[in-house]
Amino acid sequence: MIVRTLAECAKSGRKIVSKTWDSTRMLLKDDNMGFSFHITTIYANSETHIHYQNHLESVYCISGEGEIETLADGKVYPIKPGTLYILDQHDEHLLRGFSEMQMACVFNPPLNGREVHDADGVYPLDGQSLD
């Protein structure tokens, strides 16, 4: 059994900080579960370009408000507490935080833990990308 707290993970080097978000990676590839689990904070008044070409992701909004815009069709979806969105088609998108949003995120395949978005909004499969 694996038992961790958010605070323990944040203090142990599993928290990655970027310009528009921070993410505490609570479950990673080396935990051998087949997916990774993260608590991510999207900063207020931010916009992040994301295009997970190598991963599928589901995201549940715990708190805060924002929106996601899919670039292929320009559709905009509001995000508020209780919203789940699933990027099942490697959807290129813009994620906007109107207020600070806390999100629970699941990735398949699992992340290694050090990934950040590259210039194209992608997480590499090797986990070696850093801002």
Side-chain angles (χ1 to χ4, degrees), residues 13-26:
R14 288 176 172 256
K15 183 174 184 176
I16 305 300
V17 178
S18 185
K19 294 175 186 126
T20 58
W21 54 267
D22 64 62
S23 180
T24 302
R25 282 83 191 267
M26 298 187 73

Side-chain angles (χ1 to χ4, degrees), residues 21-123:
W21 54 267
D22 64 62
S23 180
T24 302
R25 282 83 191 267
M26 298 187 73
L27 187 70
L28 293 167
K29 182 178 182 178
D30 63 4
D31 292 312
N32 297 311
M33 292 295 296
F35 61 92
S36 59
F37 179 81
H38 316 203
I39 298 296
T40 299
T41 301
I42 305 300
Y43 301 150
N45 304 310
S46 68
E47 180 177 271
T48 306
H49 172 241
I50 304 172
H51 190 190
Y52 295 128
Q53 297 173 9
N54 302 310
H55 299 86
L56 299 174
E57 183 190 26
S58 62
V59 180
Y60 178 80
C61 180
I62 299 166
S63 64
E65 294 191 10
E67 66 184 17
I68 185 168
E69 178 180 351
T70 50
L71 295 183
D73 59 13
K75 289 185 180 178
V76 176
Y77 303 90
I79 299 171
K80 60 183 179 180
T83 301
L84 174 71
Y85 66 86
I86 300 101
L87 301 166
D88 63 337
Q89 301 296 314
H90 303 282
D91 311 270
E92 185 173 12
H93 61 283
L94 297 173
L95 178 59
R96 298 181 185 106
F98 300 149
S99 62
E100 182 176 283
M101 295 190 294
Q102 189 171 49
M103 316 288 262
C105 308
V106 176
F107 281 87
N108 183 16
L111 299 189
N112 292 305
R114 302 294 301 161
E115 292 90 345
V116 294
H117 305 111
D118 68 13
D120 296 319
V122 176
Y123 277 167

